[in-house]
Amino acid sequence: MPETLEAFLSAVHRTFTEVTRKAPDYFAGRPLRAAGPPPGAREAVRAAFGATLRAADREEFTAVDRLLDLRRAGPDGADGRQEDGDDWAGWRRRLDRRSAVRSARAARLAGAMDRREARAAGSRVRYRAGGQGPLVVLLTALGHTDEVWYPLAERLLPGRRVVMWDAEDAAGPAERRLDAVDAVLAAEGVRACDVVGWCSGAQSAVEYAHRRPAAVRAAVLLHGSYPRAATDPASAYERNLASVCASVAARPHRAGRALRMLTGGEGPAPLPADEHLAAVEALARVPPGLDAVLRHPFRDADALVRYSRTLDGLWRRPLPEPAPGSPPLLSLAGELDRVAAPEPPAALAPWLAGRHGVLVGATHYSLLERPEVVADVCRAFLDDPTAAGPPAGTTGEVRWTESGGPAGTGHRPVRAGATR
């Protein structure tokens, strides 16, 4: 069927909102390009977004234009049905309000979930639980609270029971974090679960799948950060952070100086004059308002010492090899991830069996920036984890790879709330 104007504008709305949240003035002097936009699109984009739309060949596209193009090819996300003739500004306001309501609901998620407690190796794990259905365990990155999961968890809850907890409640040796999963499963009265791990939580997911293969139906690894051999690709941030954490773990008195290095307070640099570079930099920025969440491991010197010891110990543990009966795993990386390298280490490839995807134009924080897309991938895979290859029906924003090869963008050191 031909593309409707409303479907086109829905894709524009998602792209415009994502870009301007990170770079509010991006479209002030830069057009949005589209190949063969539907009739009336230029006027509607101007009315709804105050932006300039230009018809162009795909060879001219910036990274922002390519993202829009992929979203046009995906499912029609229109949910603000046009009812007022040509009042596209009013249509956009309705979509903005619906997005704001969804965001507010996710922010209040913690209060709507049950607070429960499990015993793990003599210590307590305080966790949140909500929903009914197959159990999904969310494994948080080291040093973080479960707040990073709220937008994604809110979308996974229908038809599933979701549990999550602060990573600090399971700090210390890796075995203690794995014991926490055992304890939560026992407290929930189930023998098997699905697992979703983010950043260093992805390594914990792999280790738990190796330790308890019968207890894991399937696992999704989001922007995983893992120990890497010298031949594995790694981001500049991974290399820098490994060095800093090893130093602080061995010499805790250096934590104050390391903290200042990791949490430089400068704001984002102006976007480059070159339009293609500006598009990449706009998408690669961390959205404002997340500093308190993302800097939690670096909030003070004592927290950094604990984080450094735990991360240094985790990275000294090689990834286990899959064995007969190991559960299926899927990896999802970000094309513009400047924290964890989008390419998985070679040791992870046997676990994935080709199920590695790169989320186009996404950063390390896709679970906060694009929770609807990540939730679609998780649901599609967890609904049928034994199917060969990528999960069916997933979004066109994911580029699936056979081998987990290069994701296309370089890496440079990142300060501010970048985390592992």
Side-chain angles (χ1 to χ4, degrees):
M1 294 179 62
E3 180 184 34
T4 66
L5 180 55
E6 186 180 6
F8 175 79
L9 289 180
S10 295
V12 171
H13 182 265
R14 284 190 59 211
T15 306
F16 181 91
T17 301
E18 181 174 338
V19 172
T20 55
R21 184 184 177 196
K22 299 178 179 184
D25 60 345
Y26 178 83
F27 290 106
R30 301 177 184 87
L32 184 65
R33 298 173 180 82
R42 184 170 61 180
E43 295 78 11
V45 167
R46 173 65 67 182
F49 305 100
T52 300
L53 177 68
R54 182 179 299 166
D57 294 331
R58 289 183 172 86
E59 290 76 14
E60 303 175 44
F61 282 4
T62 66
V64 169
D65 305 326
R66 285 193 294 273
L67 184 59
L68 169 62
D69 201 50
L70 291 173
R71 288 172 170 170
R72 291 176 67 186
D76 182 356
D79 60 359
R81 186 63 55 188
Q82 171 65 310
E83 298 170 347
D84 303 320
D86 295 328
D87 182 17
W88 291 109
W91 172 89
R92 183 224 169 148
R93 286 193 295 271
R94 287 196 293 275
L95 259 64
D96 286 345
R97 284 196 296 269
R98 294 183 185 188
S99 296
V101 168
R102 189 90 194 233
S103 296
R105 192 165 66 207
R108 296 192 299 267
L109 182 67
M113 299 180 79
D114 296 330
R115 292 177 177 268
R116 304 199 64 189
E117 189 174 286
R119 292 281 180 175
S123 61
R124 293 182 296 180
V125 179
R126 299 178 182 89
Y127 68 96
R128 302 183 198 274
Q132 299 294 326
L135 186 68
V136 179
V137 174
L138 306 181
L139 293 182
T140 312
L142 293 177
H144 277 276
T145 69
D146 63 12
E147 189 174 355
V148 298
W149 291 112
Y150 295 170
L152 180 60
E154 190 266 336
R155 287 164 171 81
L156 292 178
L157 272 171
R160 288 179 168 85
R161 182 159 178 80
V162 175
V163 299
M164 57 190 178
W165 58 90
D166 297 348
E168 286 189 330
D169 283 352
E175 288 78 7
R176 189 180 302 173
R177 292 191 299 279
L178 304 185
D179 289 341
V181 184
D182 284 339
V184 170
L185 263 60
E188 289 292 309
V190 300
R191 294 184 177 180
C193 66
D194 294 319
V195 178
V196 181
W198 171 61
C199 196
S200 51
Q203 182 179 344
S204 297
V206 176
E207 292 193 356
Y208 190 74
H210 180 263
R211 173 178 172 174
R212 297 279 190 268
V216 179
R217 289 182 60 255
V220 179
L221 314 175
L222 300 178
H223 308 285
S225 180
Y226 314 96
R228 293 177 181 268
T231 54
D232 287 326
S235 70
Y237 187 85
E238 283 177 310
R239 293 190 295 269
N240 293 348
L241 188 62
S243 176
V244 169
C245 287
S247 174
V248 172
R251 303 171 184 84
H253 64 278
R254 295 186 175 181
R257 185 172 67 177
L259 196 65
R260 290 189 292 274
M261 182 171 60
L262 288 168
T263 59
E266 71 276 8
L271 293 176
D274 181 273
E275 200 166 349
H276 291 272
L277 294 177
V280 171
E281 288 303 310
L283 289 171
R285 285 182 176 180
V286 177
L290 298 179
D291 282 357
V293 176
L294 301 180
R295 292 193 184 191
H296 193 73
F298 315 117
R299 64 193 180 278
D300 56 46
D302 289 340
L304 179 59
V305 170
R306 293 193 300 272
Y307 174 78
S308 296
R309 287 171 173 167
T310 307
L311 184 65
D312 186 58
L314 184 69
W315 276 354
R316 293 180 187 275
R317 298 167 61 92
L319 283 172
E321 296 182 2
S326 294
L329 272 58
L330 177 141
S331 169
L332 188 64
E335 182 185 32
L336 301 181
D337 194 330
R338 290 173 172 173
V339 177
E343 305 87 350
L348 189 62
W351 284 95
L352 299 177
R355 292 182 294 263
H356 175 72
V358 178
L359 191 54
V360 174
T363 73
H364 192 65
Y365 311 108
S366 67
L367 69 171
L368 292 161
E369 297 173 336
R370 300 187 196 174
E372 70 287 351
V373 176
V374 177
D376 285 347
V377 173
C378 289
R379 281 193 297 263
F381 175 63
L382 297 179
D383 284 346
D384 190 11
T386 60
T394 48
T395 174
E397 292 177 42
V398 180
R399 184 172 65 243
W400 297 101
T401 66
E402 289 286 331
S403 60
T409 59
H411 307 287
R412 61 176 176 81
V414 175
R415 289 177 180 259
T419 184
R420 316 278 327 145

